[in-house]
Amino acid sequence: MSPVSERAAQVRFRRALSLMAMTLVAPGSAQLIAGNRRVGLIAFCSAAGLLALSLMGGLLALVHRPFAYWVATSPSALFWIYLVLTAAAVGWAALFVDAWRIGEPLSYSMTHRRMAVGVNGLLCFSVAGTLLVGAHLVGVQRDFMNATFGDGEASGAHHGRYNVLIMGGDAGAGRWGLRPDSMTVASVDAETGKTVLIGLPRNMSHFPFREGSVMDEQFPDGFDCDGCMLNGVSTWAEDNTELFGKAENPGVDATIMAIEGITDLEINYWAMVNLEGFKDLVDAVGGVTLNVRQEIPIGLPGDKVTGTIEPGTRKLDGFETLWYARARDGSDDYSRMARQKCVMNAMLEQISPQSALRNFQKIAEASSDMVSTNLPSSEVDRFLDLAMRAKGQKLATLSLVPPMIATADPDIDLVHAKVAEAIAKAEGRAPETPDDGATKPRKKQSTSVTGGSVGSLKEGYAANDSEDLGAAC
């Protein structure tokens, strides 16, 4: 090749690299200058429009947080984002290939041809790969939303609060089914997100059901059958499904009737958490830091203890956190309830948006295996916003357990008064119907520790009755 021809080939090579760089910075610009102008104009305008739309959406998400939650939780919005990212990946890759073609690769030296192919391939696969990974993550989120949340009707706030029943299903090894062994009502202020956790013991009996409900008709004097306790309501209903018509979850429906009768709160939504799947969620976010006040045995009562969780402020993995929350060996149900509330508080405080984004796919996969709920997907953004508002606020807690409440024969009037008082205090107002038993000042926090929780069965556990759960834990 003559010097003139070699210089011309080098010029064409540099021009080819320039066209690829232009395609990277401004898709369609290479075609506008040296290729099919119509294709270039469509590509350039489309890219500019998507960029402007993305910038506007990002700015709106920064100044109006609920918009970001809606985009992240709306299956329809996620579907269109998925399509756009996939189309952008294919289209941008095609523009890179066309830019390489426009550069006349056969007109320069073999070395330059190989370099052009390498640069073009690197740019093409890097850009398209990044967009396709983004599309995959959006698809994972959409699948999670569709698999976890329903499309039912939204339920409005009751007296300015959303009441969500959270049930823990202890379906581990040796357990026959996913039953609600742990029940907590999260009463959330619809404006501030201020939350009160109301814990109900699984061994409560002789309690009333919501007036006029199916279960109230069957048990007008309360759940007084032989051996019947709160965690047995679901089983009883599943054995008598003909009483519930076409209900999809008669066990959950009956449990809600019981919770509403006990607390005098109207439940908006429910969520069942598989405690075995819960450990995967903890692992997905990198563990959770808890104050282990006493050695916690790993093993259920009657089973062989296979290990211990040592005392101290420690970061626990999913397996350890699960046993911290469920262990009863050398303890009791009420200490376990206190520890479970400490786990809830730690998860709320420690899972940041940054860690959620870093572990997005793991969290989505763990959550889809962990939770079943009747919360419609249209309401998820609202509850995300409330959760973020609650973050950093003091989390109040009330557990309907001894010594305040006799679980074998609960004073329902006292229970109603206590629930009303806890909610009133969270809202910064006095109870509407004060009761002598409900307005006594709280005792000074105990210094004793039982089963890993501050307090004892006789004097009560601090985390079960506190206006600041974080301090009690």
Side-chain angles (χ1 to χ4, degrees):
M1 183 181 293
S2 67
V4 174
S5 298
E6 185 175 345
R7 285 196 296 273
Q10 290 176 348
V11 170
R12 286 192 294 271
F13 174 66
R14 288 195 293 269
R15 175 174 174 272
L17 293 181
S18 299
L19 292 173
M20 295 177 200
M22 291 169 62
T23 302
L24 175 66
V25 176
S29 57
Q31 285 73 22
L32 281 173
I33 292 176
N36 188 318
R37 292 182 58 82
R38 184 167 181 269
V39 171
L41 184 62
I42 293 174
F44 184 81
C45 291
S46 298
L50 287 176
L51 178 62
L53 192 61
S54 299
L55 291 174
M56 289 173 58
L59 181 60
L60 183 58
L62 286 175
V63 300
H64 186 61
R65 196 167 55 188
F67 174 76
Y69 299 144
W70 174 79
V71 170
T73 59
S74 170
S76 58
L78 292 170
F79 172 73
W80 285 108
I81 293 174
Y82 175 84
L83 285 184
V84 168
L85 288 174
T86 303
V90 174
W92 211 337
L95 290 174
F96 274 117
V97 172
D98 191 52
W100 172 79
R101 180 191 64 82
I102 295 170
E104 301 177 2
L106 298 179
S107 66
Y108 33 85
S109 68
M110 183 60 69
T111 300
H112 285 163
R113 289 183 200 177
R114 290 170 179 165
M115 291 178 62
V117 169
V119 171
N120 187 270
L122 177 64
L123 293 175
C124 183
F125 285 110
S126 296
V127 172
T130 300
L131 290 172
L132 288 175
V133 168
H136 170 70
L137 293 177
V138 170
V140 169
Q141 172 68 356
R142 184 171 181 271
D143 290 342
F144 165 65
M145 294 298 300
N146 287 330
T148 305
F149 303 98
D151 55 0
E153 294 184 4
S155 175
H158 304 299
H159 305 291
R161 304 190 73 84
Y162 291 103
N163 301 309
V164 181
L165 173 60
I166 304 170
M167 297 170 283
D170 198 0
R175 317 293 285 192
W176 62 267
L178 192 62
R179 60 186 184 180
D181 272 4
S182 171
M183 286 155 279
T184 300
V185 176
S187 183
V188 185
D189 189 290
E191 295 297 328
T192 66
K194 177 72 175 179
T195 302
V196 180
L197 297 178
I198 303 166
L200 296 103
R202 64 179 187 165
N203 63 341
M204 181 177 281
S205 58
H206 295 89
F207 51 82
F209 292 92
R210 184 183 70 230
E211 187 174 349
S213 66
V214 171
M215 293 298 288
D216 181 49
E217 293 173 359
Q218 300 300 312
F219 298 95
D221 298 322
F223 203 41
D224 55 2
C225 51
D226 185 31
C228 287
M229 296 185 293
L230 183 55
N231 72 331
V233 171
S234 177
T235 303
W236 191 96
E238 294 292 348
D239 290 338
N240 298 272
T241 55
E242 70 279 359
L243 298 174
F244 297 86
K246 298 181 179 180
E248 294 183 6
N249 298 286
V252 173
D253 293 346
T255 301
I256 289 175
M257 295 171 193
I259 300 297
E260 291 182 336
I262 295 168
T263 63
D264 199 31
L265 295 176
E266 191 170 348
I267 302 299
N268 294 86
Y269 304 109
W270 61 266
M272 174 73 81
V273 180
N274 180 351
L275 296 182
E276 278 295 314
F278 171 75
K279 65 184 180 184
D280 295 329
L281 176 63
V282 176
D283 286 333
V285 298
V288 61
T289 300
L290 291 164
N291 185 6
V292 184
R293 299 180 181 272
Q294 194 176 52
E295 185 178 88
I296 303 292
I298 297 175
L300 293 171
D303 294 342
K304 181 180 179 181
V305 174
T306 59
T308 57
I309 302 172
E310 297 301 318
T313 301
R314 304 181 56 234
K315 191 166 190 176
L316 306 182
D317 61 21
F319 177 80
E320 294 169 325
T321 303
L322 176 62
W323 278 106
Y324 175 88
R326 78 186 295 199
R328 286 186 287 120
D329 196 304
S331 182
D332 55 63
D333 273 344
Y334 313 125
S335 171
R336 182 174 78 152
M337 290 174 65
R339 281 181 272 117
Q340 288 172 352
K341 288 178 175 56
C342 289
V343 172
M344 291 181 186
N345 181 75
M347 294 289 283
L348 177 65
E349 289 299 315
Q350 295 175 28
I351 297 180
S352 65
Q354 292 80 9
S355 66
L357 285 173
R358 285 196 304 269
N359 302 281
F360 173 76
Q361 185 167 348
K362 291 181 180 179
I363 293 173
E365 291 172 351
S367 299
S368 61
D369 293 333
M370 183 189 75
V371 179
S372 57
T373 180
N374 69 336
L375 179 69
S377 56
S378 61
E379 289 293 283
V380 176
D381 58 331
R382 183 194 305 275
F383 280 88
L384 278 176
D385 184 45
L386 290 175
M388 292 304 297
R389 294 186 190 187
K391 192 177 180 67
Q393 296 191 62
K394 292 180 179 179
L395 194 63
T397 180
L398 169 71
S399 292
L400 308 176
V401 299
M404 179 180 67
I405 302 296
T407 54
D409 187 21
D411 182 341
I412 296 301
D413 289 336
L414 176 60
V415 169
H416 291 176
K418 283 288 189 180
V419 171
E421 178 194 22
I423 291 175
K425 285 188 175 182
E427 295 177 346
R429 57 180 176 80
E432 295 179 5
T433 55
D435 177 270
D436 291 340
T439 55
K440 293 178 182 178
R442 284 185 170 89
K443 295 184 295 183
K444 186 178 179 181
Q445 181 169 309
S446 171
T447 57
S448 63
V449 179
T450 306
S453 304
V454 175
S456 66
L457 180 62
K458 181 179 179 180
E459 61 190 359
Y461 295 100
N464 279 335
D465 185 13
S466 174
E467 293 180 33
D468 184 358
L469 180 57
C473 290

